[in-house]
């Protein structure tokens, strides 16, 4: 059985953390200088691991094994949220490198997918690898240019090269910790969609404009948001989530009736038909708000939603067996409420995911962390699963 | 009868407009360099008009008549909103200077009250003049220092000096224009109060945190705001207004459950008891939101609300008679939905106000304007009223 080197794994994770380290967290948005430096460092680590490694035209770092395939592809992302944690994505990339080092005679490719967090375009790297090109996003084109990647070829998933895709990630929730489990075998990755909803009324003086004559865009936004909060459950499933994470009134002053208001509604579910009902419900509520007036209501976005993805059942069995071997009784099956590159890869090849516990369920925050023993255990389980998959 | 000089009035108004002119609007916040320059210019105009003029320790420009009293005090403010119109306040100040010029043998003092718009402290100048000192506001102290006013004495209303206070202002609403009236005789000035309401929950990942485990401060804020919008009418009067002009979620990202949310609720009415009911209702809704959880709800502010003020009935008669004389049938009595320095002065002396029409009811906006003929008519009515008051 392949044995990973826990000290080497942790040393590389901590070395990667230094790129953009800010307090206990990491600030490493895609295509920033520190992000590009970290990608060059990843190329060096992959090359040392015996892979043919490079950075492609959208920033993906891909290390290709020289062993005969079909290969196992292991990856995640090394970019961060604007104020992110040190493990979100990064851990899965270093796991890939460590598993490739632990199984040098096996065909294992490793990837760090660009811009999973959507600094410019969410899932840019995994999407491009799977054949989905982003067009017409000027800020992205400018960032690619200034990162020196203009004209560099984009890597694509070659037909027939891959057996499957594996991704390990921190849970980003508190389920494993609450149940004292050490590992999660992911069954589904949630699909999600989001909508910008804009209300347009008439800005006016909050003292001299009678209630009956107002076109208060803020009041219209509040009524709509309350409808979302109170009626979504009627179309949602038991595991659905919906969030209004952002709202703003313009001009946003105490004595001025807002002439414009904007908010963002996000919906997530693991069942495609449930997600579709939630999306339709948002659209229907916006249309109803627009019809009743006196403010106009308009919806934009929602075209680039991510569909739910089921993880491959055979791969789940390999991961579950490895988990049971290294941590008997300390693992569970669970859905992923967060989006991951694995759901993009799942459109091209069998894919599966492994979770390790997040301390206090915290992520997307400088305080994000996982116990070192759990980090090492997760990588060993991934290596054992990889070995059994490639032997299968 | 005293006759004002309309051309001189308009020329001075346009000269004052140049201090901070930005497009058709004016950006002249209190204690800015351009505001202080405009105050020095006002001192020159008042001095030319035969008044003993100066800038006091909070920025008030006050010109004192050398005629025997008791004096009539005429004023308004010359500071603007962050992006304000050219007439809001400024017109009433220049009216005062023009009326003093038209009635050189009468005891007429003129004032431009500092910071009516609350760049640092709303009604700072008129409040200080009436004996209410602001303490412990460090940004204000710093601004007074950098404006060169540290150590300059504050002007105070001397007992026995004043017969009464008059203020002219643009209406800032659309009532006069809609009824084709040229003048408004103000009966009451609205009282108002405002509250910052803060909701504190637990910031978390919008994908991995089930609905039942959330402490969504944004959702709590939306529910509260909806309650304000839908239940305030039950305690309000027919002319009450209430406004949520500002709301913000923290951190305000699509995929993050807000851990904190803030909004501002403002209530206004001309009846003290109605205003009190509305204030109590806001407090009760905040307390109820806090009790039901899961987020904490807390209210701050509300201690510096402005009480409604009735305008002096005798002064209203003088103004109404002057309006009827110069514009028969083209005036009406009306409340002021906006706050004005006159409601502060009304605590110290009889006070009254005159409105002229706002084109399309627009104010607090670069587009704010009033027809020149209406501006000239308003000043003549004020002069005639001043003459009859001082003769009475």
């Amino acid at each position: 059985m392949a044995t990973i080197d826990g000290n080497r794994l942790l040393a590389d994770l901590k070395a990667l953390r230094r790129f953009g380290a800010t307090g206990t967290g990491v600030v490493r948005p895609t295509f920033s200088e520190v992000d590009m430096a970290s990608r060059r460092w990843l190329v060096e680590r992959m090359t040392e691991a015996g892979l043919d490694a490079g950075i492609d035209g959208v920033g993906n770092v891909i290390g290709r094994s020289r062993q005969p395939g079909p290969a196992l592809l292991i990856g995640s992302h090394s970019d961060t949220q604007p104020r992110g944690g040190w493990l979100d994505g990064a851990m899965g990339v270093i796991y890939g490198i460590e598993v490739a080092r632990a199984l040098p005679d096996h065909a294992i490719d490793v990837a760090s997918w660009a811009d999973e967090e959507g600094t410019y375009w969410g899932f840019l790297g995994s999407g491009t690898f799977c054949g989905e090109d982003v067009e017409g996003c000027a800020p992205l084109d400018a960032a690619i240019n200034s990162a020196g990647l203009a004209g560099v070829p984009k890597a694509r998933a070659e037909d027939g090269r891959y057996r499957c895709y594996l991704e390990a990630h921190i849970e980003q929730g508190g389920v494993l910790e609450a149940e004292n489990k050490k590992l999660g075998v992911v069954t589904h990755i949630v699909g999600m969609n989001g909508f910008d909803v804009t209300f347009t009324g008439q800005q006016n003086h909050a003292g001299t404009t009678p209630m009956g004559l107002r076109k208060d865009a803020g009041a219209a936004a509040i009524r709509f948001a309350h409808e979302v909060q109170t009626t979504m459950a009627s179309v949602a499933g038991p595991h659905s989530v919906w969030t209004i994470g952002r709202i703003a009134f313009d001009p946003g002053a105490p004595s001025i009736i807002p002439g414009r208001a904007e908010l963002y509604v996000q919906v997530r579910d693991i069942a495609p038909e449930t997600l579709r009902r939630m999306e339709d419900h948002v659209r229907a509520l916006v249309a109803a708000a627009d019809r009743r007036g006196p403010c106009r209501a308009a919806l934009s976005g929602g075209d680039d939603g991510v569909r739910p993805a089921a993880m491959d059942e055979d791969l789940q069995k390999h991961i579950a067996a490895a988990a049971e071997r290294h941590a008997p009784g300390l693992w569970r099956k669970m859905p992923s409420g967060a989006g991951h590159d694995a759901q993009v890869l799942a459109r091209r090849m069998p894919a599966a995911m492994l979770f390790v516990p997040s301390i206090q369920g915290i992520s997307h925050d400088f305080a994000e962390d996982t116990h070192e023993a759990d980090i090492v255990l997760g990588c060993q389980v991934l290596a054992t699963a990889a070995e059994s998959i490639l032997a299968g």
Side-chain angles (χ1 to χ4, degrees), chain A:
Chain A
M1 187 194 76
T3 303
I4 62 123
D5 182 335
N7 289 332
R8 180 173 62 181
L9 165 72
L10 292 171
D12 274 353
L13 256 180
K14 290 171 185 173
L16 178 53
R17 180 184 200 160
R18 285 196 284 273
F19 293 91
T22 306
T24 59
V26 176
V27 177
R28 193 166 61 222
T30 301
F31 300 132
S32 62
E33 276 189 41
V34 76
D35 174 65
M36 291 306 297
S38 75
R39 291 177 191 278
R40 291 188 290 272
W41 179 88
L42 285 170
V43 168
E44 291 171 18
R45 296 292 79 67
M46 291 181 188
T47 304
E48 280 177 5
L51 306 176
D52 292 325
I55 302 174
D56 88 340
V58 296
N60 286 326
V61 185
I62 299 180
R64 291 164 61 97
S65 171
R66 295 168 197 147
Q67 303 299 326
L72 175 59
L73 178 59
I74 303 179
S76 191
H77 62 96
S78 53
D79 66 304
T80 72
Q81 285 273 322
R83 293 171 57 85
W86 75 295
L87 294 171
D88 183 348
M91 189 191 77
V93 174
I94 302 297
Y95 270 25
I97 295 172
E98 180 58 26
V99 172
R101 289 189 292 224
L103 293 163
D105 301 328
H106 292 66
I108 294 174
D109 287 9
V110 181
S112 171
W113 309 115
D115 208 13
E116 193 265 355
E117 300 288 10
T119 299
Y120 295 95
W121 194 274
F123 302 110
L124 168 71
S126 50
T128 304
F129 186 74
C130 293
E132 299 157 15
D133 285 314
V134 177
E135 283 170 13
C137 178
L140 172 62
D141 295 340
I144 287 175
N145 270 333
S146 73
L149 296 175
V152 175
K154 299 170 183 173
R156 305 287 192 181
E158 292 165 33
D159 287 336
R161 177 171 178 84
Y162 293 107
R163 164 79 178 80
C164 62
Y165 175 74
L166 295 185
E167 180 168 358
H169 205 279
I170 55 168
E171 180 196 349
Q172 302 182 268
V175 173
L176 292 176
E177 186 179 74
E179 300 183 359
N180 202 26
K181 303 290 189 193
K182 296 299 182 186
L183 301 149
V185 179
V186 177
T187 57
H188 299 79
I189 302 175
V190 75
M192 57 189 282
N193 210 340
F195 305 91
D196 283 298
V197 187
T198 304
F199 300 85
T200 310
Q202 177 60 55
Q203 179 179 328
N204 224 321
H205 191 293
T208 57
T209 313
M211 299 307 288
L213 296 182
R214 295 182 174 206
K215 294 183 181 177
D216 183 333
I222 287 166
R223 179 169 174 182
F224 168 82
H226 186 256
E227 289 172 341
V228 169
Q229 301 290 12
T230 55
T231 67
M232 189 66 81
S234 66
V235 302
H239 303 295
S240 303
V241 292
W242 54 98
T243 307
I244 296 174
R246 190 170 68 197
I247 188 168
F249 292 175
D250 181 75
S255 289
I256 303 182
I257 299 165
R260 188 180 159 88
E262 295 182 336
L263 57 80
Y264 189 87
V265 187
Q266 185 186 79
V267 294
R268 302 190 188 218
D269 200 88
I270 55 171
E273 62 278 16
T274 305
L275 181 62
R276 187 67 67 191
R277 280 201 310 273
M278 297 171 79
E279 295 168 333
D280 289 346
H281 189 59
V282 173
R283 291 191 183 94
L285 289 177
V286 173
D290 189 58
R291 273 196 307 274
R292 74 175 165 243
C295 297
R296 303 306 309 261
L299 177 145
S300 63
D303 302 324
D304 54 350
V306 181
R307 296 300 100 193
M311 297 290 93
D312 182 81
E313 299 211 355
D314 181 57
L315 295 176
Q316 288 183 53
K317 286 178 190 159
H318 284 281
I319 297 172
E324 181 63 20
R325 176 169 176 181
H326 295 291
L330 296 179
W331 62 277
R332 60 163 285 174
K333 294 199 169 196
M334 62 188 299
S336 170
H340 293 289
D341 289 303
Q343 75 204 89
V344 179
L345 272 297
R347 296 176 210 153
R348 282 298 303 255
M349 60 187 82
M353 288 194 75
L354 171 69
F355 279 170
V356 299
S358 293
I359 294 173
Q360 293 185 343
I362 296 170
S363 72
H364 287 188
D365 191 290
F366 281 1
E368 168 191 296
D369 206 1
T370 295
H371 296 296
E372 290 195 352
D374 293 344
I375 293 174
V376 172
L377 173 63
C379 190
Q380 181 59 61
V381 169
L382 189 69
T384 300
E387 193 172 15
S388 74
I389 289 165
L390 286 172

